[in-house]
Each structure stands twice: as C-alpha cells, then as structure tokens.
Amino acid sequence: MTVLIERALHATGLLADFNDAGVLTLADVHIARRVALLGGEPDETVHLAVALTVRALRLGSVCIDLSGARHSTAADEGVDVTTLPWPAVEAWREACTRSPVVAAAGESGRPLRLVNGLLYLDRYWREEDQVRRQLQDRASGVFPVDPAALREQLDRLFEPGSEKQRLAAAVCAFRRVTVLAGGPGTGKTTTIARMLAVLCAQSGPPPRIALAAPTGKAAARLEEAVRSVTGLGLPDLHASTLHRLLGRRPGTRTRFKHHKAHRLPYDVVVVDETSMVSLTMMARLIEAVRPDARLVLVGDPDQLASVEAGAVLGDIVAAAGCPEPALASALQAVGEPETVVNGVVTLDRIWRFGGDIARLAAAIRAGDDETVVAILRTGSKDVQFVESAAGDCPDLRADVLNALEHVASLAASGEAEAALRALDAHRLLCAHRHGPYGVTRWTTEIERWLPADRLTDQSVGRPLLITANDYDNNLYNGDTGVVVQTADGPRAAFARGGDTVLIPPSRLSEAQALYAMTVHRSQGSQFDRVSLVLPPATSPLLTRELLYTAVTRARSALRIVGSEEAVRAAVTRPIARASGLRESLATRSS
C-alpha cells in the first residue's frame, strides 16, 4: 500500500526525519514549530515531543507517555520506526521538564504540561483534571434515603435474577455519580427506566429528569426504549443530544449556555452511549450538572470510543480504587453487600440475543482470535463468514436489494413507521468512509443496482442519513430516515422517540443516501441483520473495538466479509488511547 506523505518544506532535524517517515503530518510539524518559535525553545527533542503530542490528539489520545512513545507510535502507524533517531528517554524527559513551553503540575501559562511522565497540551490536562476532581468530589457522602422504603421499592421493581440491575438502582439512589456499564442486550435501558422509577418513588417532590445521548439517533432510541418500559409511573420523558441539552452557542463547539456558573436545572441527568463522549464534552457536561444532582453514565466500555480525544467511560470503568465507606454502609442497609468501586456497576447477563453472535462478541472482547476464527469457520444461521480479500460477496446484492424493496413498498403505501422499522432490518457496515472497502464505494455500487427512478432526493423509498446537525428541523448528525408518500407529496420520515416526524425533502440541507454506513456511525443503533465488510489487515482502523462494535449491532444475523488475516488483526489489535485519568482516579481514591 502506497502512503502519500505531505512534507513540511521548512522542517529540519527530528521533525523532518519523522515527517519523512510518515509518522508526523504537515499540521503536526507546523504546530510544533510555531509553539517552539513563540516560546523560544531551541531543543529539537522538545519540538518532536510537541509534534507527537499534537499527533496523539489527532489519533484520539489525550497525551503521550514519553517513555513509551516509540512503541506506541510503531503500533499506531503500522510502520517500522526502529530506524528513526528517537531521543534517549531520560534526557528527553529532562529537556521537556526545563523547557519554557512546558509547565509542571503546579504551574500554568504554558502551552504544554508534563505530569507524571505524561505530556499534554495544557487545555486537555485541565479538562482531564477537571473531570477527575468532579468525579471524586461527587463521590463524598451519600443521599439521605429511607433504607426500608428503598428496599421495598427494589423488591417491587426488580425480579429475582436481576441482581446487578437492582444493585445499580441502589447505587443511584445513594450516590451522585453512577456508571452503568454493559454490552448490548444486557438490559441497560430497562435498568435505567426502573432506576428512574426508584428515584421517583422517593419522598419529596418528583425529580426533574433529563435524558441525553451523544447523537440524535442514540437519543431517539433511548427515549423510545425508556417509554417502552410501561407500568412504572414515569413522567413523559424526552431525550435530546448532549449539545442540545447543554445549549449550543453559535460559533463554538466546546462552549455551551449551561456551565459551572449556569447549571442545568435537573435533579437527575442520564447519558446513554457514554463511550462516544469525548474528554472535552465530558468536562463540559460534568461542570454543568448541579453538585447536588445525580449523574448516570451508561454505556459499553468495549465499544469504539469518541472520534475526538479521550476514552472517559473506559477509564472510569477500568480505574482501580477502594470501596467508599458511606456507600458500602448504605448498600448493606438495603441488602446489597456487593463491593462497588467508583460507582461502577457492570451488567454481564445477555437478555436480548445469544447463540453464536453472543459467543463471537465475548471472544472478540477477550482478544481470543482462535475462538473467533473457529466460530466464523463453523458458521451457523446466526453467523456467516465470507472469506474474500477483495470484499466481494455474491449474496450481499440480493440481501441489500430485498431490504430496500421492502422499505420502498411500505414507503409507497405511506406506512412511515413501518418503513422506518424496515430500514433497520439489514445494514451494510464498513470500517472506512472512502476507498475500495468504504461507504463511498459501496454506495456507488448499490446505486448501480437500483433503477434510475429511485436515485433522486424525492424518490419514495430512498433511505436517508443526516450528516450534520440541522437545528431548524430538529435533526442531528447520524439520524436516519426514509422518503415516504403522503397526501401532500413525498416527505422524509424520521423517528423521534415513539413519534414520526415528516419533513419535505427540499428542506433537508445535510442528507445523503443511506445504503451503507461506517461502524462509527452505527453506534447507538441495532439492526436485525448486519453485513460487515472488513478492510485489509494493514488498515489502521481495523481494531478490536471496531469489530466488537460492528458485531454487536446485529440482533439476529451477522455476515462478515473479509480475510482471516483481517479478522485476526482486528481481534488482536486493541485501541490504546493514552490518558492519565484512569491512574489519577485510582491514585486519589486509594
């Protein structure tokens, strides 16, 4: 595979060497040179450290570990970097420590910060430290709850066999931050609904509740799922995106109307799909939640993390720590003696699906490539493996066209809700957006299979994907819909919780045909059947988290198209996002 390298013409020394090798991009080099120039730093080893820190953010890490930079860089790039002139670690760290552009833990006013051997851009260190301090401050003490009344509510709402769900509700009743972790089908949304019912049953005025998720699609699914749990006496709850919850401000993506000086007016804030929340967004969220309110973070730490820097949910779930005495005593008083650390309760019983999809997901999560390949090669009605290095699959065309024809038939009859449900019957997922294995290629391929009258924006049955937030129409990046026939002409139908909204297609400014979708965009969604096209094993996007996320989108049937080499590469290549949050939470809580 040929890699196109953008060379920085004025780079010299180490920056030029790492740029020529393809490790650093043009932007990495230019930012490092500008920081060094403004800060009066002549040491080229510091220039390299700055460039690698910028590069780390681009790849999702919050910082770099100078002692492990060589190893992690080689793993990330998939290229041989052993011939590059890496600085000696101790001398490199000392050069950064005394640099005028690098601040130590107690200092400020410099663009970078070195803490415990980790080098950050200052903004990201401050955001990480803010999240750490907020989580630990909110861990002190417990809410005053009547143990006898709470125990009665837990007995009423949770059946035998749902001990983990019961524990999560008890933790939420007492603690200001609760983390509910678990994979698809483990009952997270049902637990949320019953957890909220427990809180609503407490003495005093009913709590003001906010439901939110990173994307519009995930928010709609959360709202619909919570509403589907009937008989609990919950208020009429609506979910929104995090951006909408915090109140967007024109001209900025990182500052909102609600913040530490203007808090959210809610007593309980529930955030689903938290694995997709970046460090910056988590910092903005947690500062906006009132100190006396409850925050519930829900998600699967084994899924893909945010496309931006940080893996906050994974860090919190994996952080070591000690039980909190006040919480432990309160839980024992309601018959829940299990140890809880950092407010984390992990659901591990799968209720929704089982069979080979569940076995495959478990093996991927464990990094067991031998078992993964064995399951794929054995095959079943649940899982099919089409071994093809070129990504070709003869049966895929029939499945895609049959699914689209069913959607079109319902759409032509004006059955908007049924058409939207049919849209989730089958989904083609790709790791890449572009290239021979990407969404663009497969979209073009599928459009060649379809008749010409089905390819316009007004075509009834045309599936749609919203690609940018559209606040005027209350649509968000990742929302999916379909054009249906109505008495007023073609309308684009989108699900909003349990409702369906109809919008003239001409009013949609950021929509494209939905014939294939990246695995990243599929997070927060579930489909009856999934076809996954894997890129070659050399693709840097091919990771354990990506494969796990794709596999767990399928409810009943999964097809993987790719090579055994690609499957093994994905299973044995976990994403390594550098961060200091996990260690700082463990250190400060022990």
Side-chain angles (χ1 to χ4, degrees), residues 31-52:
I31 293 173
R33 292 182 72 242
R34 176 60 62 179
V35 168
L37 178 63
L38 295 176
E41 173 56 76
D43 191 328
E44 65 174 331
T45 65
V46 178
H47 301 176
L48 176 63
V50 175
L52 289 174

Side-chain angles (χ1 to χ4, degrees), residues 105 113 200 239 251 269 288 294 296 324 333 353 372 381 384 408 421 451 476-477 496 502 524-525 588:
R113 189 177 294 262
C200 289
V269 177
R294 291 176 172 89
V296 183
E324 300 151 23
F353 58 71
V372 168
K381 63 181 179 62
Q384 177 189 9
R421 287 195 299 270
Y476 299 92
N477 190 358
R496 273 290 164 267
L502 300 174
S525 300
R588 304 298 177 90

Side-chain angles (χ1 to χ4, degrees), residues 445-510:
E445 189 86 8
I446 292 168
E447 286 181 335
R448 279 202 296 263
W449 300 342
L450 294 170
D453 61 356
R454 294 273 299 280
L455 301 179
T456 68
D457 291 340
Q458 300 280 337
S459 298
V460 172
R462 183 175 176 84
L464 301 172
L465 172 68
I466 300 300
T467 57
N469 292 339
D470 181 352
Y471 297 101
D472 291 336
N473 289 314
N474 196 29
L475 296 174
Y476 299 92
N477 190 358
D479 282 355
T480 58
V482 60
V483 178
V484 300
Q485 186 64 51
T486 73
D488 299 319
R491 292 292 184 268
F494 295 89
R496 273 290 164 267
D499 304 321
T500 301
V501 296
L502 300 174
I503 301 170
S506 58
R507 288 180 54 193
L508 301 178
S509 58
E510 299 291 344

Side-chain angles (χ1 to χ4, degrees), residues 336-378:
E336 301 293 334
E338 188 166 341
T339 298
V340 175
V341 175
N342 297 324
V344 177
V345 179
T346 301
L347 307 182
D348 50 16
R349 178 178 176 182
I350 298 176
W351 301 81
R352 185 188 304 146
F353 58 71
D356 286 339
I357 294 178
R359 290 177 55 222
L360 186 64
I364 293 169
R365 193 170 60 243
D368 185 353
D369 60 318
E370 292 295 339
T371 299
V372 168
V373 171
I375 294 171
L376 293 179
R377 291 224 174 271
T378 302

Side-chain angles (χ1 to χ4, degrees), residues 63 65 115-116 118 120 128 132 136 312 314-321 342 577-590:
C63 56
D65 182 351
V115 181
N116 298 325
L118 302 177
Y120 299 77
E128 183 179 278
R132 189 267 308 165
Q136 291 175 340
V312 179
D315 285 338
I316 297 173
V317 172
N342 297 324
R577 290 198 165 187
S579 155
L581 181 61
R582 183 180 307 184
E583 289 72 19
S584 65
L585 282 173
T587 301
R588 304 298 177 90
S589 63
S590 59

Side-chain angles (χ1 to χ4, degrees), residues 190-546:
T190 302
T191 303
I192 292 171
R194 296 186 183 280
M195 181 186 295
L196 295 176
V198 168
L199 298 181
C200 289
Q202 301 301 308
S203 60
R208 292 164 294 180
I209 300 169
L211 303 178
T215 67
K217 180 71 172 179
R221 285 189 67 250
L222 172 63
E223 179 180 323
E224 185 176 3
V226 169
R227 287 183 174 187
S228 69
V229 184
T230 58
L232 299 181
L234 291 175
D236 187 21
L237 297 173
H238 298 275
S240 71
T241 64
L242 283 173
H243 281 80
R244 192 171 186 86
L245 174 71
L246 295 175
R248 70 183 184 97
R249 290 171 58 181
T252 176
R253 296 177 57 216
T254 60
R255 293 293 172 181
F256 301 92
K257 293 178 181 177
H258 290 285
H259 45 75
K260 61 184 177 182
H262 180 47
R263 309 273 190 175
L264 289 164
Y266 299 104
D267 303 301
V268 183
V269 177
V270 179
V271 181
D272 199 10
E273 298 294 343
T274 310
S275 65
M276 300 166 64
V277 178
S278 68
L279 174 64
T280 297
M281 179 56 82
M282 183 61 73
R284 298 291 82 80
L285 169 68
I286 203 167
E287 73 174 4
V289 175
R290 296 199 333 261
D292 60 341
R294 291 176 172 89
L295 175 62
V296 183
L297 304 176
V298 186
D300 184 350
D302 295 310
Q303 283 189 27
L304 285 165
S306 165
V307 294
E308 298 177 27
V312 179
L313 179 67
D315 285 338
I316 297 173
V317 172
C322 298
E324 300 151 23
L327 177 63
S329 176
L331 290 175
Q332 288 178 356
V334 295
E336 301 293 334
E338 188 166 341
T339 298
V340 175
V341 175
N342 297 324
V344 177
V345 179
T346 301
L347 307 182
D348 50 16
R349 178 178 176 182
I350 298 176
W351 301 81
R352 185 188 304 146
F353 58 71
D356 286 339
I357 294 178
R359 290 177 55 222
L360 186 64
I364 293 169
R365 193 170 60 243
D368 185 353
D369 60 318
E370 292 295 339
T371 299
V372 168
V373 171
I375 294 171
L376 293 179
R377 291 224 174 271
T378 302
S380 67
K381 63 181 179 62
D382 300 338
V383 175
Q384 177 189 9
F385 180 43
V386 179
E387 193 162 6
S388 169
D392 298 323
C393 175
D395 295 334
L396 185 57
R397 175 171 178 165
D399 281 355
V400 169
L401 290 179
N402 287 340
L404 290 175
E405 286 302 322
H406 185 44
V407 171
S409 174
L410 294 169
S413 302
E415 301 178 60
E417 291 184 18
L420 287 170
R421 287 195 299 270
L423 192 62
D424 289 342
H426 176 265
R427 186 58 48 84
L428 174 60
L429 300 181
C430 305
H432 291 212
R433 183 175 291 110
H434 304 292
Y437 304 89
V439 169
T440 302
R441 174 257 167 131
W442 279 103
T443 297
T444 302
E445 189 86 8
I446 292 168
E447 286 181 335
R448 279 202 296 263
W449 300 342
L450 294 170
D453 61 356
R454 294 273 299 280
L455 301 179
T456 68
D457 291 340
Q458 300 280 337
S459 298
V460 172
R462 183 175 176 84
L464 301 172
L465 172 68
I466 300 300
T467 57
N469 292 339
D470 181 352
Y471 297 101
D472 291 336
N473 289 314
N474 196 29
L475 296 174
Y476 299 92
N477 190 358
D479 282 355
T480 58
V482 60
V483 178
V484 300
Q485 186 64 51
T486 73
D488 299 319
R491 292 292 184 268
F494 295 89
R496 273 290 164 267
D499 304 321
T500 301
V501 296
L502 300 174
I503 301 170
S506 58
R507 288 180 54 193
L508 301 178
S509 58
E510 299 291 344
Q512 65 184 35
L514 174 61
Y515 299 124
M517 175 184 278
T518 62
V519 177
H520 271 92
R521 280 195 185 274
S522 74
Q523 285 185 268
S525 300
Q526 288 272 291
F527 313 103
D528 293 335
R529 294 173 291 119
V530 166
S531 295
L532 170 65
V533 176
L534 294 179
T538 53
S539 169
L541 296 182
L542 194 56
T543 63
R544 181 183 302 169
E545 289 78 4
L546 180 133

